[in-house]
Amino acid sequence: MSKYSDGFSNIDNNFGKDSNYDVESGGHVRANNYGIDFDTIQYLQKVYTIVSFMLGTTVLICWASMYNTAFNTWLVNTCTHWTITFLPFVFSIIPMFYIFRNRNNPEKCRIPCAIFTIAMSISVATVCAIYAAAGYRDVVILAFAGTMTIFFALTAFTFQSKIDFSFLNQIVFVGIITLIIISIFGISTYWTSGLGIFIFSCAIILDTFFLIKYGKYLNNPYMGAVNIYLDIINLFLYVLQFLSRD
């Protein structure tokens, strides 16, 4: 899953064995109780601050799509098709590509990240609006609560764990390819929803692990934020799909 994992290939994996060792200074640096040095902590703070703004925007737009009658009607009756397919593809792929191109210049990533967030938020809001119109508003709220519970639990687990989670890279990659194939054929069951929940739960662990391990060597917190945000959004959609099964 790690969209920025290619950028890690130039970093010597050996330094990951000692999280307090700084390859630039050739010595050890101060670390907190989890063995994470303070440069990494500063990077993580930036990442999760951006994620918070991205999720906040999505929650507000989704809330409006469910509780504002005019907005709900517009999404359900007018924009269902292009908001779910065309809009996210154009207005998320292009900003993501731009962020990757400017991974060493985070100042240029603010506006593309905002465009990406709004596009994804409208897409998710359309799904929420459809569920709300069908009488599943409570299921959407429950799915959101469940998603955030899973996210916080997995994040806390990864932060305190000493396990090398890089092995999840292959599992997440194969899993996402499988989910794409399943979606192409329109297969939707408890099993496919459960698989999606499992894969993106693994993706949260994997991306969090990479942020902790390589954080201070990365210059652009927007790349990490987009990864975590996408993990949460996809997890939410699969949890929502699972809970709404008859």
Side-chain angles (χ1 to χ4, degrees):
M1 171 72 179
S2 308
K3 278 69 72 176
Y4 49 76
S5 58
D6 291 341
F8 299 147
S9 60
N10 295 327
I11 303 175
D12 185 3
N13 291 328
N14 290 329
F15 71 77
K17 299 176 181 177
D18 185 353
S19 58
N20 295 338
Y21 188 79
D22 189 281
V23 295
E24 295 179 358
S25 63
H28 286 70
V29 296
R30 292 186 306 153
N32 66 358
N33 293 332
Y34 296 110
I36 305 174
D37 64 80
F38 284 90
D39 287 338
T40 301
I41 292 174
Q42 289 180 345
Y43 177 79
L44 291 173
Q45 288 175 339
K46 294 177 182 178
V47 169
Y48 286 106
T49 297
I50 296 170
V51 171
S52 297
F53 279 107
M54 296 172 77
L55 285 178
T57 300
T58 302
V59 169
L60 286 175
I61 295 177
C62 288
W63 180 88
S65 75
M66 293 193 297
Y67 289 95
N68 184 285
T69 304
F71 190 36
N72 179 279
T73 302
W74 179 70
L75 286 175
V76 173
N77 297 331
T78 307
C79 305
T80 299
H81 177 71
W82 65 271
T83 51
I84 291 179
T85 56
F86 180 76
L87 181 68
F89 179 79
V90 174
F91 289 99
S92 63
I93 295 298
I94 294 177
M96 282 181 62
F97 177 76
Y98 188 87
I99 291 172
F100 179 78
R101 283 284 304 272
N102 293 275
R103 56 188 176 276
N104 294 321
N105 192 349
E107 295 297 326
K108 291 185 177 182
C109 297
R110 292 178 180 176
I111 294 178
C113 185
I115 295 173
F116 167 82
T117 302
I118 293 172
M120 289 300 300
S121 296
I122 294 176
S123 176
V124 177
T126 303
V127 176
C128 293
I130 293 171
Y131 274 86
Y136 289 99
R137 184 181 297 167
D138 292 341
V139 177
V140 174
I141 297 174
L142 181 61
F144 173 73
T147 298
M148 297 313 298
T149 300
I150 295 172
F151 169 69
F152 285 124
L154 293 178
T155 301
F157 167 73
T158 308
F159 265 82
Q160 61 82 37
S161 178
K162 302 298 181 182
I163 301 173
D164 184 344
F165 290 107
S166 57
F167 70 92
L168 291 175
N169 212 356
Q170 290 75 22
I171 296 176
V172 172
F173 176 78
V174 174
I176 290 177
I177 296 299
T178 302
L179 290 173
I180 292 174
I181 294 174
I182 289 174
S183 66
I184 291 175
F185 287 97
I187 302 173
S188 180
T189 66
Y190 274 117
W191 291 103
T192 57
S193 301
L195 176 63
I197 293 171
F198 172 75
I199 292 301
F200 285 103
S201 294
C202 291
I204 289 173
I205 295 175
L206 179 64
D207 287 338
T208 303
F209 169 73
F210 279 140
L211 288 177
I212 295 171
K213 186 173 182 179
Y214 299 107
K216 71 174 183 176
Y217 299 95
L218 303 175
N219 297 323
N220 193 338
Y222 290 95
M223 293 185 65
V226 167
N227 277 286
I228 297 296
Y229 174 79
L230 285 175
D231 293 340
I232 296 172
I233 292 300
N234 282 288
L235 177 62
F236 166 74
L237 293 174
Y238 279 106
V239 170
L240 179 59
Q241 188 181 86
F242 183 85
L243 293 177
S244 61
R245 291 261 148 240
D246 292 328

